Amino acid sequence: MAAVRAIDIRTAIPGPRSREILERKARVVADPLSVYLPVVDDAGRSLEWEVHGESLLIRLGKARKAGEAFEVRIRYDAKPRRGVFFMAPDKAYPKRARIVWTQGEDEDNRAWFPSYDYPNQRFTSEVLATVEERYEALSNGRLVKVTHDKRRKRKTYHWSLDKPHSNYLIALAVGEFDSKEWNADGVPVQAYVPKGMGSFIDRCFSNVPDMVRFFGKMTGLKYPWPRYAQVCVPEFIVGGMENTSITLLYEYCLTDEKAYNDYRPESLLAHELAHQWFGDWLTTKSWGHVWLNESFATYFDILWFEHFYGKDEALMRIETDRDNYFEETVKAYKRPIVTHKFTESSDMFDRHTYEKGGSVLHMMRNELGDDQWWKAIRHYVMKFSSENVETNDLKVAIEEATGRNLDTFFDEWLYKAGHPEFEVSWSWDDKAKQVELRVKQTQEVKDPVPLFRVPLVVEIAWDDRVQRESVRLERADQVFRFDAPRRPKAVLFDPDDILLKKVTFRKEKDEFLWQLANGKGVWPRMEACRGLGKFIGDDTAVARLQKALTKDKFWGVRREAAGALGEIGTQAARDALLNGAKDKDSRVRRAIYRGLGMFRRDEVAFKALSEAYMDDGWYYPMQTAALALAETRHDRAFDTIVKGMDRPSQAEVLARGACMALANLRDERGLDVLKVRTAYGRPEVVRYGAAWALGKLASYHEKRRDEVLEHLVGLLRDPNYRTRVGAVLGLSELGYPKGIDELEKVAAAEPIAQLRTAARAAIRDIREKHAEGAKRIEQQEELDKLKDENKGLKARLASLESKVESLRKKR
Ligand SMILES: [Zn+2]
């Protein structure tokens, strides 16, 4: 693993410009690191030094004035366990590429070079890397020169970034690569992938030049760095990292078309590119404000989707983000997006910082209107050009650009937590010719969750016209009255689905039917599907959902129709689902398979799912089919899932889905199938999925818990990061208090911060589960039984209703 012979990093340690800086010394970490004498100053004099924990203290020899520039040379070597990673083939992974890569965010660059490692200061940087001649070394900024020492068979790459940036954005990648370069209005856009994978480049990266132009135009700032390189590296520990002018990416974004629709690398690429503006050019001043990096990258990715694929596609992305955020609020916590209360800064990189923040920016854009929003963004980018920012800077920039005061908005959505939950109903007052709309805000209002004061649009619709009303929701219970010529066909609450919220809107079946057939935007039609899913045993609902499933032009509506039919769960609904099963959009097929999974021990559904699992051909639908097969609890589900589980797919989504399907199936035989797949030598993502599923499955088999616990604990010390993550998730699922001691060791000593965060979450989970007591398993079984009974009841209800219907007709 001797790809890098020497690295010479030159950064400026910032001068003491503020009190805060004086208190933060340059830091090195306690990873095995040796500093060699002499540490020298710019005159070549040796200086005294000491290492204190994370600080390297250097005595300057003579007094220096604040703000005075001077040079210190530190010669050191290190064996970092984080920050820099050396990938190389071994017996178990003979094909693994020999590549070195780094990952600095949030505070890991200090593990491979002594540095001022906090984002609140910016400086220029240079990296000189000497490597064996067959390797290429890539780093930030501009390549100054390459010198070739032919005798010693080495090359030295000299990279320089002459515009200041923050320490965590310094990066290095060394290896043998295939590459390609584009030109985006003068900006060189480059893609590097491990040698031999060059055929993936076009499919993955060809839209990036368009993104470079789009972000440049919309922000008013042309791409600000000398070039934009993207480098795919093996076993990268995050999806992507926006190092200044050189984004590193995991190799799983290189995929064939069979993952498309369900997985689009463009989303990752747009996110990392957007960071070159929001994150790198304007950088958060501290981790508590990191949403200024991450929410912007999340939302600008969506804005590019809107520009390239249209508004409806963008809305679907926002929907998914909201669901991810809601899931975190249910499973873990609600917190203000801006906060300084965290155990470690890595705790901040959660669904609040990414997904909720993106949704908040979407609302902000709608509150300001497009013109004002872009005016504000451009002003913010220009005003804080090449600076570190905090949340209030954005608020002030908006005020200056638009004259709008967003105090309330920032207070509720950024400094407070949660989201509004509404119960809505409407009625028609024939005498007054008015629509009466009642809105109750029902979330528990308790610090930090406020009662929200938000603007919202209500649409009143007839066959031939619509009427839009703007209201402001600001009380726990409000009634609005709108004049209207006659009783409307439908009343829509937030028809463009702008607001981050949960809504229960009780409506008659006929209104949903009208809405599904006549809704202009996609959201009202989707909402109608969800509503109709509650009318069990209703032939009209099934027929109209089937029509939507097979005929609606937008896939998102077809997907909702499939979901609703699954909810309805009668034989007629099942047949309707089968009718749509050949949809050309994989995202709709996934919903159909999910829906078919609701039919317990149903031969027809099982057969359709078995075929889908083996023959759909697209990775994500096959993954969904595996999970649905488990839900059917069919006698042959186990064998079917195992038979197809080792087929390769993008990021092994199929194998991982099958692992989780075995856990959900609860068949004890799955334990051995999963154990085998955690072995060193299997793809790291499979090991991750298998370890996670193993813990979940063992939670249903008390006698095997100790054995699985021991197995997972062994994996906590695995050399592969993702496998360690899988083991932590597995222990969390296992919910066995005996695992807490081991997880505490991870939380204390694991080198990679995200995993320490995950370990703390797992400990919290286990304690909660344990507090609930052994009831959990009994409850699961009870739930299973109820689901079976429910299916029987639905069938009986449907047949009774049809009997009643035919009796009525006979009369
Ligand atoms: Zn990001």
Side-chain angles (χ1 to χ4, degrees), residues 666 699-700 702 705 735 768-783:
R666 301 178 203 167
S699 74
Y700 304 113
E702 208 161 346
R705 270 201 273 173
E768 268 168 33
K769 274 179 200 158
H770 195 59
E772 287 164 20
K775 272 191 179 157
R776 181 169 153 264
I777 292 170
E778 285 156 36
Q779 280 170 351
Q780 292 279 6
E781 271 152 22
E782 188 78 356
L783 187 68

mmCIF file with all atom_site columns, all heavy atoms in Angstrom, residues 666 699-700 702 705 735 768-783:
data_model
loop_
_atom_site.group_PDB
_atom_site.id
_atom_site.type_symbol
_atom_site.label_atom_id
_atom_site.label_alt_id
_atom_site.label_comp_id
_atom_site.label_asym_id
_atom_site.label_entity_id
_atom_site.label_seq_id
_atom_site.pdbx_PDB_ins_code
_atom_site.Cartn_x
_atom_site.Cartn_y
_atom_site.Cartn_z
_atom_site.occupancy
_atom_site.B_iso_or_equiv
_atom_site.pdbx_formal_charge
_atom_site.auth_seq_id
_atom_site.auth_comp_id
_atom_site.auth_asym_id
_atom_site.auth_atom_id
_atom_site.pdbx_PDB_model_num
ATOM 1   N N   . ARG A 1 666 ? -39.004 -13.864 9.284  1.00 0.00 ? 666 ARG A N   1
ATOM 2   C CA  . ARG A 1 666 ? -38.847 -14.443 10.630 1.00 0.00 ? 666 ARG A CA  1
ATOM 3   C C   . ARG A 1 666 ? -38.606 -15.946 10.649 1.00 0.00 ? 666 ARG A C   1
ATOM 4   O O   . ARG A 1 666 ? -38.784 -16.589 11.676 1.00 0.00 ? 666 ARG A O   1
ATOM 5   C CB  . ARG A 1 666 ? -40.066 -14.125 11.497 1.00 0.00 ? 666 ARG A CB  1
ATOM 6   C CG  . ARG A 1 666 ? -40.270 -12.645 11.635 1.00 0.00 ? 666 ARG A CG  1
ATOM 7   C CD  . ARG A 1 666 ? -41.490 -12.344 12.438 1.00 0.00 ? 666 ARG A CD  1
ATOM 8   N NE  . ARG A 1 666 ? -41.948 -11.004 12.101 1.00 0.00 ? 666 ARG A NE  1
ATOM 9   C CZ  . ARG A 1 666 ? -43.126 -10.527 12.435 1.00 0.00 ? 666 ARG A CZ  1
ATOM 10  N NH1 . ARG A 1 666 ? -43.957 -11.255 13.126 1.00 0.00 ? 666 ARG A NH1 1
ATOM 11  N NH2 . ARG A 1 666 ? -43.464 -9.302  12.084 1.00 0.00 ? 666 ARG A NH2 1
ATOM 12  N N   . SER A 1 699 ? -33.876 -11.118 16.687 1.00 0.00 ? 699 SER A N   1
ATOM 13  C CA  . SER A 1 699 ? -34.741 -10.559 17.728 1.00 0.00 ? 699 SER A CA  1
ATOM 14  C C   . SER A 1 699 ? -36.036 -11.371 17.861 1.00 0.00 ? 699 SER A C   1
ATOM 15  O O   . SER A 1 699 ? -36.714 -11.286 18.870 1.00 0.00 ? 699 SER A O   1
ATOM 16  C CB  . SER A 1 699 ? -35.042 -9.086  17.444 1.00 0.00 ? 699 SER A CB  1
ATOM 17  O OG  . SER A 1 699 ? -35.969 -8.965  16.386 1.00 0.00 ? 699 SER A OG  1
ATOM 18  N N   . TYR A 1 700 ? -36.365 -12.176 16.840 1.00 0.00 ? 700 TYR A N   1
ATOM 19  C CA  . TYR A 1 700 ? -37.569 -13.025 16.923 1.00 0.00 ? 700 TYR A CA  1
ATOM 20  C C   . TYR A 1 700 ? -37.246 -14.434 17.436 1.00 0.00 ? 700 TYR A C   1
ATOM 21  O O   . TYR A 1 700 ? -38.134 -15.259 17.576 1.00 0.00 ? 700 TYR A O   1
ATOM 22  C CB  . TYR A 1 700 ? -38.233 -13.158 15.543 1.00 0.00 ? 700 TYR A CB  1
ATOM 23  C CG  . TYR A 1 700 ? -38.581 -11.830 14.916 1.00 0.00 ? 700 TYR A CG  1
ATOM 24  C CD1 . TYR A 1 700 ? -37.937 -11.398 13.767 1.00 0.00 ? 700 TYR A CD1 1
ATOM 25  C CD2 . TYR A 1 700 ? -39.548 -11.014 15.494 1.00 0.00 ? 700 TYR A CD2 1
ATOM 26  C CE1 . TYR A 1 700 ? -38.242 -10.176 13.190 1.00 0.00 ? 700 TYR A CE1 1
ATOM 27  C CE2 . TYR A 1 700 ? -39.859 -9.786  14.926 1.00 0.00 ? 700 TYR A CE2 1
ATOM 28  C CZ  . TYR A 1 700 ? -39.204 -9.378  13.780 1.00 0.00 ? 700 TYR A CZ  1
ATOM 29  O OH  . TYR A 1 700 ? -39.507 -8.170  13.217 1.00 0.00 ? 700 TYR A OH  1
ATOM 30  N N   . GLU A 1 702 ? -35.345 -16.021 20.400 1.00 0.00 ? 702 GLU A N   1
ATOM 31  C CA  . GLU A 1 702 ? -34.654 -15.782 21.658 1.00 0.00 ? 702 GLU A CA  1
ATOM 32  C C   . GLU A 1 702 ? -33.475 -16.716 21.880 1.00 0.00 ? 702 GLU A C   1
ATOM 33  O O   . GLU A 1 702 ? -32.426 -16.292 22.361 1.00 0.00 ? 702 GLU A O   1
ATOM 34  C CB  . GLU A 1 702 ? -35.672 -15.902 22.792 1.00 0.00 ? 702 GLU A CB  1
ATOM 35  C CG  . GLU A 1 702 ? -35.257 -15.051 23.963 1.00 0.00 ? 702 GLU A CG  1
ATOM 36  C CD  . GLU A 1 702 ? -36.405 -14.757 24.914 1.00 0.00 ? 702 GLU A CD  1
ATOM 37  O OE1 . GLU A 1 702 ? -37.565 -14.985 24.542 1.00 0.00 ? 702 GLU A OE1 1
ATOM 38  O OE2 . GLU A 1 702 ? -36.109 -14.294 26.023 1.00 0.00 ? 702 GLU A OE2 1
ATOM 39  N N   . ARG A 1 705 ? -30.206 -15.582 20.271 1.00 0.00 ? 705 ARG A N   1
ATOM 40  C CA  . ARG A 1 705 ? -29.776 -14.190 20.435 1.00 0.00 ? 705 ARG A CA  1
ATOM 41  C C   . ARG A 1 705 ? -28.312 -14.049 20.852 1.00 0.00 ? 705 ARG A C   1
ATOM 42  O O   . ARG A 1 705 ? -27.592 -13.210 20.327 1.00 0.00 ? 705 ARG A O   1
ATOM 43  C CB  . ARG A 1 705 ? -30.675 -13.473 21.448 1.00 0.00 ? 705 ARG A CB  1
ATOM 44  C CG  . ARG A 1 705 ? -31.872 -12.827 20.784 1.00 0.00 ? 705 ARG A CG  1
ATOM 45  C CD  . ARG A 1 705 ? -32.426 -11.741 21.655 1.00 0.00 ? 705 ARG A CD  1
ATOM 46  N NE  . ARG A 1 705 ? -33.370 -12.307 22.598 1.00 0.00 ? 705 ARG A NE  1
ATOM 47  C CZ  . ARG A 1 705 ? -33.929 -11.611 23.601 1.00 0.00 ? 705 ARG A CZ  1
ATOM 48  N NH1 . ARG A 1 705 ? -33.607 -10.355 23.780 1.00 0.00 ? 705 ARG A NH1 1
ATOM 49  N NH2 . ARG A 1 705 ? -34.778 -12.177 24.415 1.00 0.00 ? 705 ARG A NH2 1
ATOM 50  N N   . GLY A 1 735 ? -31.838 -5.432  19.831 1.00 0.00 ? 735 GLY A N   1
ATOM 51  C CA  . GLY A 1 735 ? -32.484 -4.846  21.012 1.00 0.00 ? 735 GLY A CA  1
ATOM 52  C C   . GLY A 1 735 ? -32.140 -5.543  22.313 1.00 0.00 ? 735 GLY A C   1
ATOM 53  O O   . GLY A 1 735 ? -32.924 -5.536  23.253 1.00 0.00 ? 735 GLY A O   1
ATOM 54  N N   . GLU A 1 768 ? -34.787 1.932   24.872 1.00 0.00 ? 768 GLU A N   1
ATOM 55  C CA  . GLU A 1 768 ? -36.223 2.135   24.695 1.00 0.00 ? 768 GLU A CA  1
ATOM 56  C C   . GLU A 1 768 ? -36.958 0.815   24.504 1.00 0.00 ? 768 GLU A C   1
ATOM 57  O O   . GLU A 1 768 ? -37.980 0.561   25.120 1.00 0.00 ? 768 GLU A O   1
ATOM 58  C CB  . GLU A 1 768 ? -36.489 3.040   23.491 1.00 0.00 ? 768 GLU A CB  1
ATOM 59  C CG  . GLU A 1 768 ? -36.585 4.497   23.900 1.00 0.00 ? 768 GLU A CG  1
ATOM 60  C CD  . GLU A 1 768 ? -36.551 5.430   22.702 1.00 0.00 ? 768 GLU A CD  1
ATOM 61  O OE1 . GLU A 1 768 ? -37.071 5.042   21.628 1.00 0.00 ? 768 GLU A OE1 1
ATOM 62  O OE2 . GLU A 1 768 ? -35.986 6.529   22.844 1.00 0.00 ? 768 GLU A OE2 1
ATOM 63  N N   . LYS A 1 769 ? -36.402 -0.022  23.643 1.00 0.00 ? 769 LYS A N   1
ATOM 64  C CA  . LYS A 1 769 ? -37.037 -1.318  23.387 1.00 0.00 ? 769 LYS A CA  1
ATOM 65  C C   . LYS A 1 769 ? -37.108 -2.124  24.669 1.00 0.00 ? 769 LYS A C   1
ATOM 66  O O   . LYS A 1 769 ? -38.097 -2.777  24.962 1.00 0.00 ? 769 LYS A O   1
ATOM 67  C CB  . LYS A 1 769 ? -36.226 -2.100  22.346 1.00 0.00 ? 769 LYS A CB  1
ATOM 68  C CG  . LYS A 1 769 ? -36.610 -1.752  20.930 1.00 0.00 ? 769 LYS A CG  1
ATOM 69  C CD  . LYS A 1 769 ? -35.774 -2.527  19.942 1.00 0.00 ? 769 LYS A CD  1
ATOM 70  C CE  . LYS A 1 769 ? -35.801 -1.838  18.595 1.00 0.00 ? 769 LYS A CE  1
ATOM 71  N NZ  . LYS A 1 769 ? -34.649 -2.202  17.769 1.00 0.00 ? 769 LYS A NZ  1
ATOM 72  N N   . HIS A 1 770 ? -36.030 -2.079  25.426 1.00 0.00 ? 770 HIS A N   1
ATOM 73  C CA  . HIS A 1 770 ? -35.985 -2.855  26.644 1.00 0.00 ? 770 HIS A CA  1
ATOM 74  C C   . HIS A 1 770 ? -37.028 -2.350  27.631 1.00 0.00 ? 770 HIS A C   1
ATOM 75  O O   . HIS A 1 770 ? -37.671 -3.135  28.329 1.00 0.00 ? 770 HIS A O   1
ATOM 76  C CB  . HIS A 1 770 ? -34.588 -2.788  27.253 1.00 0.00 ? 770 HIS A CB  1
ATOM 77  C CG  . HIS A 1 770 ? -34.389 -3.832  28.293 1.00 0.00 ? 770 HIS A CG  1
ATOM 78  N ND1 . HIS A 1 770 ? -34.516 -5.172  28.014 1.00 0.00 ? 770 HIS A ND1 1
ATOM 79  C CD2 . HIS A 1 770 ? -34.096 -3.735  29.615 1.00 0.00 ? 770 HIS A CD2 1
ATOM 80  C CE1 . HIS A 1 770 ? -34.313 -5.866  29.127 1.00 0.00 ? 770 HIS A CE1 1
ATOM 81  N NE2 . HIS A 1 770 ? -34.059 -5.024  30.099 1.00 0.00 ? 770 HIS A NE2 1
ATOM 82  N N   . ALA A 1 771 ? -37.191 -1.043  27.663 1.00 0.00 ? 771 ALA A N   1
ATOM 83  C CA  . ALA A 1 771 ? -38.184 -0.460  28.559 1.00 0.00 ? 771 ALA A CA  1
ATOM 84  C C   . ALA A 1 771 ? -39.593 -0.948  28.202 1.00 0.00 ? 771 ALA A C   1
ATOM 85  O O   . ALA A 1 771 ? -40.436 -1.133  29.065 1.00 0.00 ? 771 ALA A O   1
ATOM 86  C CB  . ALA A 1 771 ? -38.105 1.054   28.506 1.00 0.00 ? 771 ALA A CB  1
ATOM 87  N N   . GLU A 1 772 ? -39.797 -1.170  26.922 1.00 0.00 ? 772 GLU A N   1
ATOM 88  C CA  . GLU A 1 772 ? -41.112 -1.683  26.509 1.00 0.00 ? 772 GLU A CA  1
ATOM 89  C C   . GLU A 1 772 ? -41.303 -3.138  26.942 1.00 0.00 ? 772 GLU A C   1
ATOM 90  O O   . GLU A 1 772 ? -42.401 -3.666  26.918 1.00 0.00 ? 772 GLU A O   1
ATOM 91  C CB  . GLU A 1 772 ? -41.254 -1.611  24.974 1.00 0.00 ? 772 GLU A CB  1
ATOM 92  C CG  . GLU A 1 772 ? -41.450 -0.206  24.460 1.00 0.00 ? 772 GLU A CG  1
ATOM 93  C CD  . GLU A 1 772 ? -41.200 -0.121  22.963 1.00 0.00 ? 772 GLU A CD  1
ATOM 94  O OE1 . GLU A 1 772 ? -41.244 -1.162  22.284 1.00 0.00 ? 772 GLU A OE1 1
ATOM 95  O OE2 . GLU A 1 772 ? -40.940 0.992   22.484 1.00 0.00 ? 772 GLU A OE2 1
ATOM 96  N N   . GLY A 1 773 ? -40.181 -3.797  27.234 1.00 0.00 ? 773 GLY A N   1
ATOM 97  C CA  . GLY A 1 773 ? -40.258 -5.156  27.746 1.00 0.00 ? 773 GLY A CA  1
ATOM 98  C C   . GLY A 1 773 ? -40.410 -6.192  26.663 1.00 0.00 ? 773 GLY A C   1
ATOM 99  O O   . GLY A 1 773 ? -40.381 -5.893  25.472 1.00 0.00 ? 773 GLY A O   1
ATOM 100 N N   . ALA A 1 774 ? -40.576 -7.418  27.120 1.00 0.00 ? 774 ALA A N   1
ATOM 101 C CA  . ALA A 1 774 ? -40.619 -8.546  26.190 1.00 0.00 ? 774 ALA A CA  1
ATOM 102 C C   . ALA A 1 774 ? -41.904 -8.549  25.377 1.00 0.00 ? 774 ALA A C   1
ATOM 103 O O   . ALA A 1 774 ? -42.110 -9.378  24.506 1.00 0.00 ? 774 ALA A O   1
ATOM 104 C CB  . ALA A 1 774 ? -40.491 -9.841  26.973 1.00 0.00 ? 774 ALA A CB  1
ATOM 105 N N   . LYS A 1 775 ? -42.758 -7.597  25.669 1.00 0.00 ? 775 LYS A N   1
ATOM 106 C CA  . LYS A 1 775 ? -44.054 -7.516  24.984 1.00 0.00 ? 775 LYS A CA  1
ATOM 107 C C   . LYS A 1 775 ? -43.905 -7.432  23.471 1.00 0.00 ? 775 LYS A C   1
ATOM 108 O O   . LYS A 1 775 ? -44.778 -7.849  22.733 1.00 0.00 ? 775 LYS A O   1
ATOM 109 C CB  . LYS A 1 775 ? -44.800 -6.276  25.458 1.00 0.00 ? 775 LYS A CB  1
ATOM 110 C CG  . LYS A 1 775 ? -45.632 -6.528  26.685 1.00 0.00 ? 775 LYS A CG  1
ATOM 111 C CD  . LYS A 1 775 ? -46.535 -5.338  26.904 1.00 0.00 ? 775 LYS A CD  1
ATOM 112 C CE  . LYS A 1 775 ? -47.422 -5.561  28.117 1.00 0.00 ? 775 LYS A CE  1
ATOM 113 N NZ  . LYS A 1 775 ? -47.891 -4.311  28.657 1.00 0.00 ? 775 LYS A NZ  1
ATOM 114 N N   . ARG A 1 776 ? -42.779 -6.886  23.039 1.00 0.00 ? 776 ARG A N   1
ATOM 115 C CA  . ARG A 1 776 ? -42.642 -6.525  21.645 1.00 0.00 ? 776 ARG A CA  1
ATOM 116 C C   . ARG A 1 776 ? -42.908 -7.718  20.712 1.00 0.00 ? 776 ARG A C   1
ATOM 117 O O   . ARG A 1 776 ? -43.670 -7.615  19.766 1.00 0.00 ? 776 ARG A O   1
ATOM 118 C CB  . ARG A 1 776 ? -41.246 -5.958  21.403 1.00 0.00 ? 776 ARG A CB  1
ATOM 119 C CG  . ARG A 1 776 ? -41.031 -5.533  19.986 1.00 0.00 ? 776 ARG A CG  1
ATOM 120 C CD  . ARG A 1 776 ? -39.749 -4.741  19.862 1.00 0.00 ? 776 ARG A CD  1
ATOM 121 N NE  . ARG A 1 776 ? -39.248 -4.900  18.515 1.00 0.00 ? 776 ARG A NE  1
ATOM 122 C CZ  . ARG A 1 776 ? -38.345 -5.778  18.159 1.00 0.00 ? 776 ARG A CZ  1
ATOM 123 N NH1 . ARG A 1 776 ? -37.838 -6.596  19.050 1.00 0.00 ? 776 ARG A NH1 1
ATOM 124 N NH2 . ARG A 1 776 ? -37.955 -5.864  16.915 1.00 0.00 ? 776 ARG A NH2 1
ATOM 125 N N   . ILE A 1 777 ? -42.242 -8.848  21.044 1.00 0.00 ? 777 ILE A N   1
ATOM 126 C CA  . ILE A 1 777 ? -42.374 -9.999  20.149 1.00 0.00 ? 777 ILE A CA  1
ATOM 127 C C   . ILE A 1 777 ? -43.820 -10.485 20.131 1.00 0.00 ? 777 ILE A C   1
ATOM 128 O O   . ILE A 1 777 ? -44.396 -10.765 19.086 1.00 0.00 ? 777 ILE A O   1
ATOM 129 C CB  . ILE A 1 777 ? -41.408 -11.116 20.578 1.00 0.00 ? 777 ILE A CB  1
ATOM 130 C CG1 . ILE A 1 777 ? -39.980 -10.626 20.316 1.00 0.00 ? 777 ILE A CG1 1
ATOM 131 C CG2 . ILE A 1 777 ? -41.681 -12.401 19.829 1.00 0.00 ? 777 ILE A CG2 1
ATOM 132 C CD1 . ILE A 1 777 ? -38.921 -11.498 20.896 1.00 0.00 ? 777 ILE A CD1 1
ATOM 133 N N   . GLU A 1 778 ? -44.414 -10.535 21.332 1.00 0.00 ? 778 GLU A N   1
ATOM 134 C CA  . GLU A 1 778 ? -45.820 -10.941 21.382 1.00 0.00 ? 778 GLU A CA  1
ATOM 135 C C   . GLU A 1 778 ? -46.678 -10.008 20.532 1.00 0.00 ? 778 GLU A C   1
ATOM 136 O O   . GLU A 1 778 ? -47.547 -10.444 19.795 1.00 0.00 ? 778 GLU A O   1
ATOM 137 C CB  . GLU A 1 778 ? -46.334 -10.907 22.825 1.00 0.00 ? 778 GLU A CB  1
ATOM 138 C CG  . GLU A 1 778 ? -45.827 -12.065 23.659 1.00 0.00 ? 778 GLU A CG  1
ATOM 139 C CD  . GLU A 1 778 ? -45.839 -11.720 25.136 1.00 0.00 ? 778 GLU A CD  1
ATOM 140 O OE1 . GLU A 1 778 ? -46.764 -11.009 25.561 1.00 0.00 ? 778 GLU A OE1 1
ATOM 141 O OE2 . GLU A 1 778 ? -44.908 -12.142 25.852 1.00 0.00 ? 778 GLU A OE2 1
ATOM 142 N N   . GLN A 1 779 ? -46.367 -8.723  20.640 1.00 0.00 ? 779 GLN A N   1
ATOM 143 C CA  . GLN A 1 779 ? -47.152 -7.747  19.865 1.00 0.00 ? 779 GLN A CA  1
ATOM 144 C C   . GLN A 1 779 ? -46.984 -7.977  18.371 1.00 0.00 ? 779 GLN A C   1
ATOM 145 O O   . GLN A 1 779 ? -47.939 -7.899  17.612 1.00 0.00 ? 779 GLN A O   1
ATOM 146 C CB  . GLN A 1 779 ? -46.713 -6.327  20.210 1.00 0.00 ? 779 GLN A CB  1
ATOM 147 C CG  . GLN A 1 779 ? -47.316 -5.827  21.494 1.00 0.00 ? 779 GLN A CG  1
ATOM 148 C CD  . GLN A 1 779 ? -46.679 -4.519  21.943 1.00 0.00 ? 779 GLN A CD  1
ATOM 149 O OE1 . GLN A 1 779 ? -45.689 -4.074  21.382 1.00 0.00 ? 779 GLN A OE1 1
ATOM 150 N NE2 . GLN A 1 779 ? -47.251 -3.926  22.968 1.00 0.00 ? 779 GLN A NE2 1
ATOM 151 N N   . GLN A 1 780 ? -45.754 -8.284  17.959 1.00 0.00 ? 780 GLN A N   1
ATOM 152 C CA  . GLN A 1 780 ? -45.500 -8.530  16.540 1.00 0.00 ? 780 GLN A CA  1
ATOM 153 C C   . GLN A 1 780 ? -46.359 -9.695  16.062 1.00 0.00 ? 780 GLN A C   1
ATOM 154 O O   . GLN A 1 780 ? -46.957 -9.664  15.006 1.00 0.00 ? 780 GLN A O   1
ATOM 155 C CB  . GLN A 1 780 ? -44.021 -8.872  16.306 1.00 0.00 ? 780 GLN A CB  1
ATOM 156 C CG  . GLN A 1 780 ? -43.089 -7.713  16.543 1.00 0.00 ? 780 GLN A CG  1
ATOM 157 C CD  . GLN A 1 780 ? -43.039 -6.778  15.354 1.00 0.00 ? 780 GLN A CD  1
ATOM 158 O OE1 . GLN A 1 780 ? -43.777 -6.940  14.391 1.00 0.00 ? 780 GLN A OE1 1
ATOM 159 N NE2 . GLN A 1 780 ? -42.182 -5.779  15.438 1.00 0.00 ? 780 GLN A NE2 1
ATOM 160 N N   . GLU A 1 781 ? -46.374 -10.772 16.901 1.00 0.00 ? 781 GLU A N   1
ATOM 161 C CA  . GLU A 1 781 ? -47.151 -11.931 16.484 1.00 0.00 ? 781 GLU A CA  1
ATOM 162 C C   . GLU A 1 781 ? -48.643 -11.621 16.452 1.00 0.00 ? 781 GLU A C   1
ATOM 163 O O   . GLU A 1 781 ? -49.351 -12.045 15.546 1.00 0.00 ? 781 GLU A O   1
ATOM 164 C CB  . GLU A 1 781 ? -46.826 -13.120 17.394 1.00 0.00 ? 781 GLU A CB  1
ATOM 165 C CG  . GLU A 1 781 ? -45.642 -13.892 16.826 1.00 0.00 ? 781 GLU A CG  1
ATOM 166 C CD  . GLU A 1 781 ? -44.828 -14.622 17.873 1.00 0.00 ? 781 GLU A CD  1
ATOM 167 O OE1 . GLU A 1 781 ? -45.384 -14.884 18.962 1.00 0.00 ? 781 GLU A OE1 1
ATOM 168 O OE2 . GLU A 1 781 ? -43.652 -14.911 17.591 1.00 0.00 ? 781 GLU A OE2 1
ATOM 169 N N   . GLU A 1 782 ? -49.049 -10.867 17.430 1.00 0.00 ? 782 GLU A N   1
ATOM 170 C CA  . GLU A 1 782 ? -50.447 -10.447 17.499 1.00 0.00 ? 782 GLU A CA  1
ATOM 171 C C   . GLU A 1 782 ? -50.813 -9.658  16.233 1.00 0.00 ? 782 GLU A C   1
ATOM 172 O O   . GLU A 1 782 ? -51.835 -9.894  15.607 1.00 0.00 ? 782 GLU A O   1
ATOM 173 C CB  . GLU A 1 782 ? -50.619 -9.555  18.744 1.00 0.00 ? 782 GLU A CB  1
ATOM 174 C CG  . GLU A 1 782 ? -52.036 -9.201  19.072 1.00 0.00 ? 782 GLU A CG  1
ATOM 175 C CD  . GLU A 1 782 ? -52.769 -10.343 19.752 1.00 0.00 ? 782 GLU A CD  1
ATOM 176 O OE1 . GLU A 1 782 ? -52.207 -11.451 19.899 1.00 0.00 ? 782 GLU A OE1 1
ATOM 177 O OE2 . GLU A 1 782 ? -53.908 -10.129 20.109 1.00 0.00 ? 782 GLU A OE2 1
ATOM 178 N N   . LEU A 1 783 ? -49.897 -8.751  15.872 1.00 0.00 ? 783 LEU A N   1
ATOM 179 C CA  . LEU A 1 783 ? -50.110 -7.900  14.702 1.00 0.00 ? 783 LEU A CA  1
ATOM 180 C C   . LEU A 1 783 ? -50.237 -8.751  13.442 1.00 0.00 ? 783 LEU A C   1
ATOM 181 O O   . LEU A 1 783 ? -51.094 -8.527  12.591 1.00 0.00 ? 783 LEU A O   1
ATOM 182 C CB  . LEU A 1 783 ? -48.945 -6.921  14.570 1.00 0.00 ? 783 LEU A CB  1
ATOM 183 C CG  . LEU A 1 783 ? -49.075 -5.849  13.492 1.00 0.00 ? 783 LEU A CG  1
ATOM 184 C CD1 . LEU A 1 783 ? -50.173 -4.876  13.870 1.00 0.00 ? 783 LEU A CD1 1
ATOM 185 C CD2 . LEU A 1 783 ? -47.759 -5.076  13.356 1.00 0.00 ? 783 LEU A CD2 1
#
